[in-house]
Amino acid sequence: MKKKILIAVGIILIAIVVIIATVVISDFKQEENLKNELEEISKLVNFENINMDEINEKLDRTVTKGNYEIIEKAGKQYLSDSFQNSIEIAEILNDEKITKLLSAENYKADGPEFTETQEYITETKNKLESCKTKYKDYLTEEKIMSYVADKNLDSYYIDFYKNEIIGDLEEERKDNTVETSINELVNYLEKTEEIIKFLKENKDFWVIQNDNIVFSKDISENKYNELISNLYESE
């Protein structure tokens, strides 16, 4: 009888070990899948010509299960939000309309009151400042961890998320390229706005002739040229 009990206990222990081993192997597989997925996304982001369709395809899919699926979805939501903000920044920085604000074409179309131009400048500056704030916020551990704050995950999975999603942010925080580009464009827009306001206030002393601005007063022309010169010196 005692031997039968020992055999039964042995079978139960073996079963428990098999179950634990299966769970552990499954967890390792989930971790590997998620690490590979994040690595693939990282490679796509670092390509010279970024293919957002491929990136979005990976961000929209799920390759893990259980707690790792929760981590994956949270991490991908963070990456998606961060990417969208970066894309908005890039679109504003590359908006051709900005380069045409001080063109004869725009002077004729929107002058001499420049209502649309001033609205556009104000709106663009506000967007840039908002995007800059978000960009810096997305590089904080607090922001990244907020995506799993309400998921009720064990510390192991929280640590895994922290290591894989956050990693080392120090180098990214030191890179001021994006912030500098935004500040330079905001400065350009402010100086452009100053020129537009000058033209509006002196609307009786200039006209557009043969796609050139012509002033009827030397003092107005001199001030305009000074503002234009100052604009390009600041670049």
Side-chain angles (χ1 to χ4, degrees), residues 10-28:
I11 292 173
I12 292 172
L13 289 175
I14 291 173
I16 292 173
V17 170
V18 170
I19 292 172
I20 293 174
T22 301
V23 171
V24 170
I25 292 172
S26 176
D27 272 9
F28 282 152

Side-chain angles (χ1 to χ4, degrees), residues 17-59:
V17 170
V18 170
I19 292 172
I20 293 174
T22 301
V23 171
V24 170
I25 292 172
S26 176
D27 272 9
F28 282 152
K29 182 62 176 176
Q30 299 301 314
E31 285 190 11
E32 183 181 356
N33 288 343
L34 184 49
K35 287 180 179 180
N36 290 338
E37 181 80 346
L38 293 173
E39 185 177 348
E40 288 180 20
I41 293 173
S42 178
K43 288 179 180 178
L44 289 173
V45 172
N46 289 316
F47 280 157
E48 186 174 344
N49 295 316
I50 297 178
N51 188 325
M52 283 309 302
D53 289 336
E54 286 187 44
I55 293 175
N56 287 329
E57 181 181 345
K58 292 189 180 298
L59 290 176

Side-chain angles (χ1 to χ4, degrees), residues 34 59-64 66-80 147-148 151 161 165:
L34 184 49
L59 290 176
D60 290 339
R61 74 183 185 183
T62 307
V63 298
T64 56
N67 287 324
Y68 289 97
E69 180 179 359
I70 297 174
I71 294 173
E72 180 183 0
K73 287 182 176 180
K76 285 184 174 180
Q77 186 60 58
Y78 159 74
L79 292 174
S80 178
Y147 285 79
V148 291
K151 304 304 180 183
Y161 173 87
I165 302 297

Side-chain angles (χ1 to χ4, degrees), residues 27-233:
D27 272 9
F28 282 152
K29 182 62 176 176
Q30 299 301 314
E31 285 190 11
E32 183 181 356
N33 288 343
L34 184 49
K35 287 180 179 180
N36 290 338
E37 181 80 346
L38 293 173
E39 185 177 348
E40 288 180 20
I41 293 173
S42 178
K43 288 179 180 178
L44 289 173
V45 172
N46 289 316
F47 280 157
E48 186 174 344
N49 295 316
I50 297 178
N51 188 325
M52 283 309 302
D53 289 336
E54 286 187 44
I55 293 175
N56 287 329
E57 181 181 345
K58 292 189 180 298
L59 290 176
D60 290 339
R61 74 183 185 183
T62 307
V63 298
T64 56
K65 298 178 181 179
N67 287 324
Y68 289 97
E69 180 179 359
I70 297 174
I71 294 173
E72 180 183 0
K73 287 182 176 180
K76 285 184 174 180
Q77 186 60 58
Y78 159 74
L79 292 174
S80 178
D81 293 344
S82 178
F83 288 159
Q84 288 304 315
N85 187 60
S86 296
I87 289 171
E88 186 174 358
I89 292 172
E91 288 177 346
I92 297 173
L93 293 177
N94 294 296
D95 188 356
E96 291 186 1
K97 186 172 181 177
I98 294 174
T99 65
K100 297 178 180 179
L101 294 175
L102 298 177
S103 67
E105 177 184 358
N106 188 54
Y107 290 176
K108 288 190 290 186
D110 196 34
E113 297 301 326
F114 294 104
T115 303
E116 291 184 12
T117 301
Q118 289 183 305
E119 288 179 355
Y120 172 80
I121 291 174
T122 299
E123 181 181 337
T124 303
K125 287 195 300 180
N126 289 339
K127 283 183 180 179
L128 285 170
E129 293 295 348
S130 175
C131 285
K132 183 173 68 173
T133 299
K134 290 180 183 178
Y135 180 82
K136 294 166 69 176
D137 189 34
Y138 281 125
L139 293 180
T140 64
E141 182 173 329
E142 181 181 4
K143 179 65 174 180
I144 300 173
M145 294 305 297
S146 70
Y147 285 79
V148 291
D150 60 345
K151 304 304 180 183
N152 296 318
L153 293 167
D154 291 342
S155 59
Y156 176 84
Y157 298 104
I158 293 293
D159 290 340
F160 179 81
Y161 173 87
K162 185 183 295 185
N163 291 333
E164 295 301 321
I165 302 297
I166 296 179
D168 184 7
L169 293 174
E170 194 59 33
E171 287 302 315
E172 292 187 51
R173 291 195 188 105
K174 289 179 180 178
D175 187 352
N176 296 320
T177 304
V178 172
E179 189 174 352
T180 298
S181 297
I182 290 175
N183 290 339
E184 288 178 350
L185 183 52
V186 168
N187 182 59
Y188 178 88
L189 288 170
E190 287 175 346
K191 292 185 179 296
T192 297
E193 187 174 29
E194 186 179 0
I195 295 171
I196 293 299
K197 286 181 178 178
F198 169 79
L199 292 176
K200 182 176 179 178
E201 292 169 357
N202 293 271
K203 59 185 177 183
D204 295 330
F205 307 116
W206 63 269
V207 293
I208 298 298
Q209 293 180 357
N210 299 322
D211 290 332
N212 290 307
I213 186 168
V214 177
F215 290 89
S216 59
K217 292 175 60 176
D218 289 342
I219 188 171
S220 297
E221 182 176 4
N222 291 338
K223 180 60 178 179
Y224 176 79
N225 289 334
E226 178 186 333
L227 292 172
I228 292 291
S229 178
N230 185 43
L231 171 75
Y232 293 107
E233 284 178 1

